[in-house]
Amino acid sequence: KIVRLQMSSESGKVVTMRDVHNLAYQTKKEHQNSRNDLEEVIKILKEEFGCSVTVNHNENDEFLGMFFQDKSMKLDFANFPEILFLDATFKLNELRLPAYIFLVEDSMGQSEVVGVALMVNETKENLTWLIETFKKENPADGLRVVMADKDINERNRITEILNVPTLICLFHALKTFKRELSNLSLNSVTKENAKIIFQNLCYAQSKEAFDDFQAEFMAIECPKLRQYYVKNWKPISNEWVKCFKAEYGNFLNSTNNRLESINSKLKSVIGHRSSLEEFVRDFFTVLSSLRADRDLKVANEFLKARIETPSDPNIQAIRSHLTSYSADFVCEELSAIGKTDVRNSTIDSCRCHFYNSMRLPCRHIFLSRSIAKCDPLFDKSLCENRWSKKYFVEHQRLFTKQVVSSGTVTSITSPSRPLKSLNQNERYRTANNVCKSLASLASETGGTIFNERISQLKALEEIWLNGEEFRILTLTKSSQTNVVKSDPKPI
């Protein structure tokens, strides 16, 4: 009714409620028609975020999919290409297009998004286009392995196109096996026994342990269960068994939890009713936040000096050469040489799970070097170069200049020393000190002034409880000091 009165007042005409409803419907229709405009989405990606965009159409010019990357994504994959995580997430836009996220792990063990795709469907042809597009846009030679879901369509196409093995996420392997058991009509005892043995197979630390568990599984008196395992799991054991996956250098990653973490953060910001335009902008909002958080951790790594210097020269050498993430692993292995034995290891190689997976010296190598009286025990050549501080500094965006194109505007991002980030306890203590001082100042007055100060503090409390910010205007002594709510930019 207020809208009707306003329209009638401005136009000088009689406006009915039907007119208001018709106008609202027409406005909504025009708004809907302007949503999910592919050309506008591509323009946003290119001009606002400096992305390269590849679009897939069929012969009828119908949209099938879109792949995009910004410059930072391309550089991150080129610098840290060894393992690529790939999975789809849903409910991030109103068109119900699944979003495929490509991810890598850097020298600090942190996850970096290196590609995004929106797909109309997950057919063989469409997935083939996606993988071929990613390969064309990212011609890196260092890719060793891909981690994906067992249910992802045409897994073999990923292996064929990228020419690397495709590993199965441990969580999805267990989930798929459990789901398929329900289709075999097994009794509860057999079903539970099969689940336990299959889980042991998944976690097998060596080929010998795997063979023992597999023999136990094949001893289950259920022909259709054994037939299902032999047909669906045994031929691809190198893709889902822990010890076999490590041989590809998977950096101890057995699941796609890194991607699940990214997906949960995306869903906390991007609504399932988002248009494609909203999806793109919200996606880069989340991505910018994630990158800032990772860059802060990197800054703390290299700008903060360790208070205590280890007395062991080997640990000193490890900490000096490797990033803290990888150095922690190596130091743990070094400390374990007193409770291990030499098994198929030499002074510079080993066949154990840790060495194959991380490409870092293990406890068996350290023990072999100790027995051979190698001095020092630690040698830089035992570590893959990607874990070194030197390599990380040369390739991480915080230490390198990256040009980010946005339409006609080009800015240079250079590293700068960040301010220290306080944790919640530190922030509480800081705020508590200020509040104590305010309480002391308020208590020193009396009568009207005391009541005015309490009213002002309560007003501030109410503003913050409502999620708003404020400006403080300091007036003359003859006037009154007021708290004025304004735009969310505290001064």
Side-chain angles (χ1 to χ4, degrees), residues 170-230:
L170 174 61
F171 170 78
H172 289 107
L174 294 171
K175 180 181 177 182
T176 301
F177 183 81
K178 181 180 178 180
R179 183 186 65 218
E180 294 301 320
L181 283 184
S182 62
N183 299 327
L184 297 178
S185 302
L186 306 175
N187 62 59
S188 59
V189 175
T190 301
K191 187 182 295 185
E192 287 303 314
N193 191 29
K195 280 196 248 181
I196 293 172
I197 299 175
F198 185 79
Q199 181 170 309
N200 291 335
L201 284 166
C202 288
Y203 283 99
Q205 293 276 7
S206 65
K207 184 180 183 304
E208 293 75 19
F210 171 77
D211 290 339
D212 291 341
F213 290 130
Q214 184 169 252
E216 185 179 355
F217 190 97
M218 298 304 292
I220 298 176
E221 295 182 359
C222 182
K224 56 185 176 182
L225 176 61
R226 296 197 300 268
Q227 183 180 2
Y228 164 73
Y229 173 80
V230 170

Side-chain angles (χ1 to χ4, degrees), residues 9-24:
S9 174
E10 292 181 356
S11 64
K13 299 179 180 179
V14 176
V15 179
T16 66
M17 288 302 297
R18 180 183 293 274
D19 295 327
V20 176
H21 289 306
N22 288 341
L23 180 61

Side-chain angles (χ1 to χ4, degrees), residues 278-291:
E278 292 167 340
F279 164 80
V280 166
R281 289 194 171 101
D282 289 345
F283 172 84
F284 276 98
T285 297
V286 177
L287 185 62
S288 296
S289 176
L290 291 174
R291 286 174 174 172

Side-chain angles (χ1 to χ4, degrees), residues 261 276 453:
S261 176
L276 294 185
R453 291 186 177 183

Side-chain angles (χ1 to χ4, degrees), residues 101-274:
I101 309 295
F102 294 78
L103 203 74
V104 295
E105 177 183 342
D106 68 12
S107 306
M108 287 281 291
Q110 300 186 125
S111 304
E112 293 289 354
V113 175
V114 295
V116 186
L118 292 172
M119 307 279 278
V120 170
N121 54 53
E122 300 176 88
T123 61
K124 176 181 179 179
E125 293 75 19
N126 221 13
L127 187 61
T128 297
W129 168 83
L130 174 60
I131 303 304
E132 287 179 343
T133 300
F134 181 85
K135 182 178 181 180
K136 179 181 177 182
E137 294 293 324
N138 303 275
D141 299 326
L143 181 61
R144 290 199 292 243
V145 67
V146 176
M147 178 75 72
D149 180 359
K150 189 182 190 302
D151 290 337
I152 194 169
N153 293 332
E154 304 300 333
R155 287 172 46 83
N156 59 324
R157 292 297 293 146
I158 299 176
T159 298
E160 291 171 5
I161 296 171
L162 298 179
N163 197 30
V164 295
T166 304
L167 305 185
I168 300 172
C169 168
L170 174 61
F171 170 78
H172 289 107
L174 294 171
K175 180 181 177 182
T176 301
F177 183 81
K178 181 180 178 180
R179 183 186 65 218
E180 294 301 320
L181 283 184
S182 62
N183 299 327
L184 297 178
S185 302
L186 306 175
N187 62 59
S188 59
V189 175
T190 301
K191 187 182 295 185
E192 287 303 314
N193 191 29
K195 280 196 248 181
I196 293 172
I197 299 175
F198 185 79
Q199 181 170 309
N200 291 335
L201 284 166
C202 288
Y203 283 99
Q205 293 276 7
S206 65
K207 184 180 183 304
E208 293 75 19
F210 171 77
D211 290 339
D212 291 341
F213 290 130
Q214 184 169 252
E216 185 179 355
F217 190 97
M218 298 304 292
I220 298 176
E221 295 182 359
C222 182
K224 56 185 176 182
L225 176 61
R226 296 197 300 268
Q227 183 180 2
Y228 164 73
Y229 173 80
V230 170
K231 178 181 178 181
N232 294 280
W233 295 96
K234 188 175 181 179
I236 58 170
S237 59
N238 63 312
E239 298 179 3
W240 56 274
V241 179
K242 188 173 183 179
C243 63
F244 299 144
K245 291 196 291 185
E247 295 176 359
Y248 298 113
N250 63 342
F251 302 149
L252 300 179
N253 290 286
S254 293
T255 69
N256 252 341
N257 285 349
R258 292 175 177 275
L259 269 172
E260 295 298 334
S261 176
I262 297 291
N263 292 342
S264 67
K265 291 179 174 63
L266 291 174
K267 289 181 178 179
S268 69
V269 175
I270 306 174
H272 67 282
R273 297 185 184 277
S274 299

Side-chain angles (χ1 to χ4, degrees), residues 336-455:
I337 62 174
K339 49 186 177 182
T340 190
D341 56 0
V342 178
R343 54 177 200 185
N344 300 318
S345 62
T346 66
I347 62 172
D348 57 8
S349 67
C350 186
R351 293 173 57 188
C352 74
H353 172 265
F354 176 82
Y355 179 76
N356 286 332
S357 182
M358 290 296 288
R359 310 297 166 94
L360 291 169
C362 63
R363 61 192 66 185
H364 310 107
I365 290 178
F366 282 131
L367 182 58
S368 296
R369 293 176 68 82
S370 178
I371 294 173
K373 300 188 183 306
C374 295
D375 188 24
L377 290 182
F378 174 75
D379 190 284
K380 295 179 181 179
S381 62
L382 299 173
C383 307
E384 194 165 77
N385 189 40
R386 58 115 56 206
W387 297 116
S388 71
K389 287 183 177 180
K390 182 176 183 295
Y391 181 88
F392 193 48
V393 168
E394 291 174 350
H395 296 88
Q396 211 276 343
R397 61 176 165 266
L398 191 64
F399 302 99
T400 59
K401 293 183 179 180
Q402 294 187 13
V403 180
V404 181
S405 299
S406 178
T408 57
V409 180
T410 301
S411 61
I412 304 294
T413 305
S414 300
S416 60
R417 187 182 183 95
L419 297 174
K420 181 183 178 183
S421 178
L422 303 179
N423 60 37
Q424 185 172 357
N425 288 334
E426 291 171 334
R427 292 195 296 270
Y428 177 84
R429 288 195 297 269
T430 301
N432 190 43
N433 290 335
V434 176
C435 290
K436 285 181 179 179
S437 177
L438 287 175
S440 177
L441 291 172
S443 66
E444 292 173 0
T445 61
T448 305
I449 297 178
F450 174 78
N451 292 332
E452 288 178 354
R453 291 186 177 183
I454 293 300
S455 297

